[in-house]
Amino acid sequence: MKKNLLGAIVIFFVTLAFLLVIDDISKSKSPQPQSTVNVYEKGQQPEMVTTDHEDE
């Protein structure tokens, strides 16, 4: 009786782990949001201001 219960518990957790892996794999196939990258030509400057002076 104890052996059957232990076997059932092992089968339950192995099945649960297998289903979680399948779920994770199916979710990872969805497209990931892509970040945008701005590429500037040589000599171009981005629309950003940097101030680098100290007050005296």
Side-chain angles (χ1 to χ4, degrees):
M1 178 76 180
K2 224 179 199 184
K3 209 173 195 179
N4 291 341
L5 185 60
L6 183 62
I9 291 172
V10 168
I11 290 172
F12 172 76
F13 281 113
V14 168
T15 306
L16 181 65
F18 180 73
L19 291 175
L20 288 174
V21 167
I22 295 294
D23 184 52
D24 190 43
I25 290 172
S26 66
K27 284 183 180 178
S28 69
K29 288 187 179 179
S30 62
Q32 300 291 327
Q34 296 180 356
S35 61
T36 58
V37 176
N38 296 330
V39 179
Y40 297 100
E41 296 292 327
K42 186 176 180 181
Q44 270 188 331
Q45 292 185 359
E47 298 174 6
M48 178 172 45
V49 177
T50 13
T51 56
D52 203 22
H53 74 315
E54 295 179 13
D55 294 328
E56 293 181 17

